[in-house]
Amino acid sequence: MIRRFIAERRSWILFFLFQLLILLFIAYLDPSISLSAMSYIVFLSLVLFIFFLFLRYQRETAFFKQLEERVNDLDLSSLTTSRSPFETIVEKSIIEQTEHLKQTASRNRVQMEQEKDEMLSWIHEVKTPLTALHLMIQRMEDDQLKARLTYEWLRIHLLLDQQLHQKRIPFIENDLYMEDTDIETLLFTELKTLQSWCIQKGIGFDFDLQVTHVLSDSKWLAFIIRQILTNAVKYSESSDIIIRSYLKADRTFLDITDHGRGIDSRDLSRIFDKGFTSTTVHHDQASTGMGLYLAKKAADSLHIKMSVNSKVNYRTTFTLAFPRKNEFVHIIGM
C-alpha cells in the first residue's frame, strides 16, 4: 500500500522536492542569501513534509485498505464511511452499483424460479402421454418393432429424467432426506426400467452385494446409479455388468463394472465436466455429456466420493464410496 500511495502522490512529491532544490540553487547563486540558513530551512521543510506524508498516508489509505480487504459480496454493512470528497464519490458509486446488482440478481432469481417451475410442470405433463405410449408399446405383437420402440421410449424417458434432475440440482440441499436405503431394491428397480434394452443388447448382470443398506437419500442415489447403469448398458455389447458392494475401512463401497468400449486415459479427468463427451469418439451424438456431470454434483452433495477406473476396449469401473457413519452428523446437519 505504501508503494501505491507514493506512486499516487508522486507528482506532488516531485514538485515539492523540485521547489526545495530551486531554493538551494537561488541561495547558491545569490551571495546575499546564506546558503547554510537556506539549507537549514530546506531540511526542516523536508522533515515536516515527511511527517505530513505519514499523516496523510494513514488518513488517505484507511478507506482503500478496508475496500481491499472487504469481501466481494453485496453486503454494504462492511463498507467504510468516507471522509473526503473523492472517497464519497467512490462510496456512492459502490452503493449504487451494489443496489443495481441486487435488483438484477433478484429479477434473475425470480425469472429462474419461474422457468424452473414451468419446465418441471412441462416434464410432469409430458410423462402422462409417455406412460400411455409405453403401455401401448407393450401391447404390440411385433416383437422386433416393439423392442425398437421401447428403446426409443426409454431414451426419451431417460432424457426427461435427466432434465428434471438438472433443474433440481441447484436446490438439492433443500431436497435431501437421509434414510436407511436398500441398495439391492434400488438396483433392481433401476434394472427393471432398463430390462428391455439389456435384453436387446444381450447384457446380463452379476451381483455380489455384501452390504445391502446405506444411509443416503434414496431418490438422488437412484439418480446417480441410473446414470452409471445407463452409460454401462449404452457402451456395452453381449457382456455382463458386475455390481458389487463391500465394506472397507468402515466405509461402504459400490462398484459397477462393465466390459464395454472403455474410456481413454486422457478423458478420465474430464468425464465429470459439464458437456464433455469424448475426445476419441467425436461421432457419438447420442451422448449429451450431462449425465455423469449431474451424477457427480449429486454425489458431492451426498458426500459420496465418485471415481472411475477404465481401460480402453476392456473394462470400466465406477466406484461410489459412501461416507463413514461419523460423517453423517455433518450431512444431516445441512
Side-chain angles (χ1 to χ4, degrees):
M1 185 63 76
I2 294 177
R3 288 183 179 179
R4 280 181 281 184
F5 175 75
I6 293 174
E8 178 69 22
R9 295 287 179 258
R10 181 172 51 193
S11 58
W12 293 64
I13 295 171
L14 291 175
F15 179 70
F16 180 77
L17 293 176
F18 179 70
Q19 283 184 314
L20 294 181
L21 288 174
I22 288 177
L23 291 176
L24 288 173
F25 183 68
I26 291 172
Y28 175 76
L29 294 178
D30 191 347
S32 63
I33 302 174
S34 173
L35 183 61
S36 58
M38 186 58 70
S39 299
Y40 182 68
I41 293 171
V42 168
F43 174 74
L44 284 179
S45 300
L46 190 60
V47 171
L48 289 173
F49 181 67
I50 291 173
F51 182 68
F52 171 77
L53 275 181
F54 176 75
L55 292 178
R56 293 308 302 171
Y57 169 77
Q58 297 291 333
R59 184 178 179 85
E60 293 183 19
T61 59
F63 178 79
F64 295 100
K65 273 183 181 178
Q66 294 197 10
L67 273 186
E68 192 175 47
E69 295 170 358
R70 180 174 172 268
V71 179
N72 292 323
D73 55 18
L74 300 180
D75 183 15
L76 293 173
S77 60
S78 60
L79 187 63
T80 310
T81 305
S82 59
R83 291 187 293 181
S84 72
F86 283 161
E87 289 178 5
T88 302
I89 293 173
V90 174
E91 181 185 21
K92 183 180 177 182
S93 176
I94 292 175
I95 292 173
E96 289 178 352
Q97 289 183 26
T98 302
E99 292 300 328
H100 176 70
L101 286 173
K102 282 183 177 180
Q103 294 175 8
T104 303
S106 179
R107 286 196 300 269
N108 290 340
R109 192 179 300 112
V110 171
Q111 186 177 355
M112 283 180 61
E113 283 287 340
Q114 185 177 354
E115 289 178 356
K116 186 196 78 169
D117 292 340
E118 290 174 355
M119 177 62 73
L120 293 178
S121 175
W122 179 83
I123 290 173
H124 286 298
E125 287 180 9
V126 169
K127 280 188 173 183
T128 302
L130 198 63
T131 302
L133 180 63
H134 187 242
L135 293 173
M136 293 169 64
I137 293 173
Q138 294 303 312
R139 294 173 185 169
M140 294 182 65
E141 297 180 359
D142 189 334
D143 292 336
Q144 186 176 2
L145 181 59
K146 179 180 177 181
R148 290 171 59 187
L149 289 175
T150 301
Y151 169 68
E152 297 301 332
W153 173 87
L154 182 61
R155 286 181 59 191
I156 298 172
H157 172 74
L158 292 174
L159 286 172
L160 281 174
D161 178 75
Q162 190 179 101
Q163 187 66 34
L164 180 67
H165 285 83
Q166 184 178 348
K167 291 297 179 183
R168 288 175 173 170
I169 277 282
F171 314 96
I172 186 173
E173 285 78 10
N174 302 324
D175 194 35
L176 293 180
Y177 179 70
M178 310 308 292
E179 60 183 344
D180 184 56
T181 303
D182 188 340
I183 301 178
E184 187 174 8
T185 302
L186 190 149
L187 282 166
F188 279 103
T189 301
E190 295 303 322
L191 291 176
K192 187 177 180 181
T193 306
L194 302 172
Q195 183 179 8
S196 58
W197 193 13
C198 294
I199 293 173
Q200 181 183 349
K201 301 191 72 174
I203 294 173
F205 291 88
D206 184 10
F207 289 91
D208 179 18
L209 302 178
Q210 298 175 19
V211 181
T212 57
H213 288 78
V214 293
L215 281 172
S216 189
D217 183 285
S218 57
K219 180 174 63 178
W220 284 101
L221 180 58
F223 173 74
I224 295 168
I225 292 176
R226 189 180 310 137
Q227 301 310 307
I228 298 173
L229 288 175
T230 302
N231 271 19
V233 175
K234 183 190 295 184
Y235 301 119
S236 299
E237 293 287 345
S238 303
S239 60
D240 284 351
I241 294 175
I242 302 169
I243 302 175
R244 68 188 190 103
S245 63
Y246 54 93
L247 197 64
K248 182 179 178 182
D250 197 31
R251 195 168 191 167
T252 301
F253 290 83
L254 178 66
D255 289 350
I256 300 177
T257 304
D258 69 80
H259 295 84
R261 76 184 190 192
I263 304 170
D264 194 280
S265 58
R266 63 183 177 182
D267 291 344
L268 281 175
S269 62
R270 302 172 60 191
I271 61 170
F272 297 121
D273 292 349
K274 186 176 183 179
F276 179 77
T277 52
S278 172
T279 59
T280 55
V281 189
H282 296 288
H283 61 271
D284 185 11
Q285 298 178 0
S287 178
T288 62
M290 292 299 295
L292 291 179
Y293 163 76
L294 295 174
K296 184 66 166 60
K297 294 273 286 185
D300 289 343
S301 298
L302 292 173
H303 289 245
I304 297 174
K305 186 178 179 182
M306 188 174 176
S307 57
V308 59
N309 186 287
S310 184
K311 186 176 180 181
V312 176
N313 298 322
Y314 179 60
R315 182 188 64 239
T316 298
T317 300
F318 280 89
T319 300
L320 299 179
F322 293 87
R324 296 180 178 87
K325 291 183 179 180
N326 57 1
E327 295 176 17
F328 277 101
V329 177
H330 172 70
I331 302 175
I332 295 173
M334 296 191 304

